[in-house]
Amino acid sequence: MKKLVCSMMLCVSVFAVAQNTSSKIPSDASIVATIKGGNLLQLMSVEEMNSSFIGNEILKELSNSDSQKTSIEDFGFDLNNSAHYFLQTNDSITYNAFIMPIKDVNKFESFIKDEGRNEFINENGLRSFKDKNEGVVWSDSVFIVVEGTVNEMYFQDETVMQRHGLQSENDGYEQSEVDYATEVVESAGDVYEVEETVVESTEIMEGEAEETVVEVVYEEVEIEETVIESTEDYEEDYNDNNSTYNYYDAYNDNYTIKRALSKSWSLLKAKQIATQTADRSILKNKSYLKSLDDKAEATLWINDFGQLYTNLFAGMYFNELGGFDLGAMYANNGLNAKLFLENDKMMLSSTYIMSDDMAKSYKKMTSRKLNKKFLNYVNEDRMIGYMSSAMDTKGMLDEYPKLMKSIYKNMPYYGEEAVLALDLFSLLLDEEAVSEVLQGDMLFLLSGISKQEVTYTTYEYNDDYEYVEVEKTKTETLPDFLLMASSEDTSLLNKVIDYTMNKEMVTFDNGFYTFKAPRSPFSIHFLIKNDIVFLGTSEVEMRKIASGTFDAKVSSDHKKRMLSNNYSLFVSAEQLAAQLPIEEMGLDRSGKLEWFLNTSEDAYVTASKIKGNTVNTEMVIGVPATEDNALKYIFSIIEKLAK
């Protein structure tokens, strides 16, 4: 089974494999991811894939002496259509499911037989493995794999425990072999009766009730087998060791039962997916339909972070202990993302949709614009990269405690105290005064990489075999950076500077201050000018800023990126390759890092200002002119780094 799933994932990761297979995704799925094989095949043909490094590795891994695969099409998947992953969760179990179209079922089943899985069950055209209770089914047109993980808190309920024959793990107890075996057999008998009744009713049940009824069938049948097995384990342990049924026995038996349930429910879910009709699918969800893009090679859709966090984390220990309620904070927040692989770039574009309450808070926290004066101290010719952020300090101090209240207010023992502490924090803090000292916008520039001779102290034995302190020098490769932040009221900062000067912690020369940290190769320079706080490592740059001779140069693209967004990040691959002394630093003896940097293009990330309830982000990586498109570029990177 592991090798089958591995092969499936390898194929999907390269060429994701709809008839419209999205109609198999249930309407209440929390996360849906899609990879469009047809779009990928426009960038790289099957023949090119077969001859590539990745294609050869897949074929080598999945072939054996009796059956040599020469093409990824030999696995039987429909490479020209779309593959899907979805996550569905409820109070008792979380499903991770994969759906792939099949083009040639004979090739697919031949591949499975090559892996030693020879016996199938065929129920009205839907196949599964014989005597294997796994979440794997397929038909002539679709292959489905489901992996379920049960929710432990669901099985803490006493009624649920009794229904499934689970034992209490809280207290060790003594129980005779006869009593315990009798209890288990009686539970198995009850299970069998439930099974008989439900099987008859499933033939006439339809609609919403069908899923619940069928689930009972599979879970109860599986419990009968599992409980009897656990009885045998108990008997062997009792006879060999004359032990009593204790916590560890209960834990092991409970684990066996719950694991059997997860497998049984996973198989049931796989069958439900295969037979699901479009009127009950995700295609009825307007938010999902809006997220689709025919031009994207892959898409990701998350319906509601709040509900997702509630279902996934509600039963976790830290949640129970701390009372954290992420679901309340992120209720009605969703996301859709799209991956575009183009000739000159690869781009991941996403839209984050906020609830009305969070959007209102976020607007206040991001109401400030980046200070345009920052651009007077940017020179892109010697700039490796930058990061800009335009937040509003007052808005953050006002709104963040409100958001935190929604998380902490339900703490079981200290909820009221937590809310009170947040209120006191807001009361005692002068948000207006703090925001005047540091307004919230900042720009960080990685302006270069330089070699500096630094002094350090070590200890050596002298001629008299005495351990003495020795001062030495060495050359360090250090980054040169410059950080700028806006400030309307510098009086407090000036007091701090005066204090450090009086304590001889800071020196003043050439119009700026310098702080030399003990045992550190860095010297930090800083000054305040034109309502901007400057902090940096380059003495040359700081001298130019202080004297007003800084030679600024910034393109319109960088200006737009910084000023039009709340957040931006940029890396110049050319500058990084030119300035990073890879060999001297001993970073890469194979030459792979140097090759990667020299063949890479610029990359950037941006997050827009909020519009309505949405924030748009983009991550863009350039494709070298030597490559045909982004997909082939990815393949060449993997090949170079893997060899």
Side-chain angles (χ1 to χ4, degrees), residues 82-359:
S82 299
H84 304 283
Y85 158 82
F86 73 81
L87 181 143
Q88 184 185 30
T89 183
N90 56 42
D91 64 336
S92 57
I93 191 168
T94 296
Y95 296 112
N96 291 279
F98 299 88
I99 306 173
M100 282 142 293
I102 292 176
K103 183 178 182 179
D104 189 327
V105 71
N106 293 324
K107 286 185 177 180
F108 176 73
E109 292 184 347
S110 175
F111 164 63
I112 294 176
K113 290 177 181 177
D114 290 341
E115 300 304 317
R117 310 299 294 273
N118 297 315
E119 296 187 81
F120 310 148
I121 299 174
N122 191 330
E123 297 175 316
N124 299 320
L126 192 62
R127 283 83 120 185
S128 59
F129 295 124
K130 184 178 180 180
D131 300 327
K132 295 290 183 180
N133 193 6
E134 299 170 300
V136 179
V137 300
W138 67 94
S139 65
D140 289 345
S141 60
V142 68
F143 175 56
I144 298 166
V145 177
V146 178
E147 179 66 30
T149 304
V150 296
N151 182 349
E152 292 296 333
M153 290 302 296
Y154 173 76
F155 292 98
Q156 298 300 314
D157 182 87
E158 189 172 331
T159 303
V160 174
M161 292 180 68
Q162 291 178 356
R163 182 192 312 153
H164 298 302
L166 298 170
Q167 301 296 320
S168 173
E169 300 173 12
N170 296 326
D171 302 300
Y173 59 89
E174 295 186 1
Q175 183 178 20
S176 69
E177 178 184 6
V178 176
D179 290 340
Y180 176 66
T182 301
E183 179 182 338
V184 171
V185 171
E186 287 176 352
S187 298
D190 294 339
V191 168
Y192 180 76
E193 292 175 1
V194 173
E195 182 217 350
E196 260 189 340
T197 304
V198 176
V199 169
E200 292 175 2
S201 64
T202 56
E203 297 177 358
I204 59 173
M205 294 295 290
E206 295 181 354
E208 297 296 327
E210 180 181 355
E211 180 174 336
T212 304
V213 174
V214 177
E215 277 194 343
V216 176
V217 176
Y218 278 91
E219 73 181 45
E220 304 299 354
V221 170
E222 187 61 24
I223 294 171
E224 181 183 359
E225 297 174 356
T226 304
V227 171
I228 293 174
E229 289 175 0
S230 64
T231 306
E232 294 172 353
D233 292 340
Y234 172 78
E235 290 173 351
E236 180 179 356
D237 179 71
Y238 184 91
N239 293 330
D240 291 347
N241 303 307
N242 195 28
S243 61
T244 58
Y245 191 78
N246 56 31
Y247 166 84
Y248 300 102
D249 299 310
Y251 176 85
N252 291 333
D253 282 350
N254 287 351
Y255 173 83
T256 302
I257 293 173
K258 287 184 283 189
R259 180 58 182 158
L261 282 174
S262 70
K263 288 184 177 182
S264 176
W265 290 347
S266 295
L267 178 60
L268 168 66
K269 174 57 64 175
K271 292 182 176 181
Q272 290 174 344
I273 294 169
T275 58
Q276 179 174 270
T277 56
D279 62 316
R280 300 180 62 188
S281 76
I282 197 71
L283 296 176
K284 294 297 180 180
N285 189 305
K286 293 181 179 179
S287 173
Y288 173 75
L289 293 176
K290 189 177 179 181
S291 72
L292 300 178
D293 192 320
D294 291 337
K295 296 180 179 179
E297 275 65 47
T299 60
L300 171 68
W301 174 80
I302 300 177
N303 183 38
D304 184 347
F305 281 102
Q307 190 61 47
L308 184 64
Y309 290 150
T310 298
N311 289 336
L312 291 179
F313 303 143
M316 288 191 174
Y317 176 74
F318 79 90
N319 243 35
E320 291 295 303
L321 179 65
F324 300 119
D325 190 358
L326 289 174
M329 182 174 179
Y330 291 98
N332 300 316
N333 283 234
L335 172 78
N336 62 75
K338 306 166 188 177
L339 175 66
F340 301 91
L341 301 176
E342 302 176 2
N343 292 336
D344 60 342
K345 65 183 178 182
M346 60 185 83
M347 180 174 70
L348 180 63
S349 174
S350 67
T351 300
Y352 189 88
I353 304 100
M354 301 182 189
S355 65
D356 292 340
D357 289 341
M358 180 170 280

Side-chain angles (χ1 to χ4, degrees), residues 458-469:
T458 186
Y459 293 89
E460 296 179 353
Y461 287 103
N462 61 16
D463 294 338
D464 297 326
Y465 300 101
E466 296 173 334
Y467 205 50
V468 295
E469 184 178 289

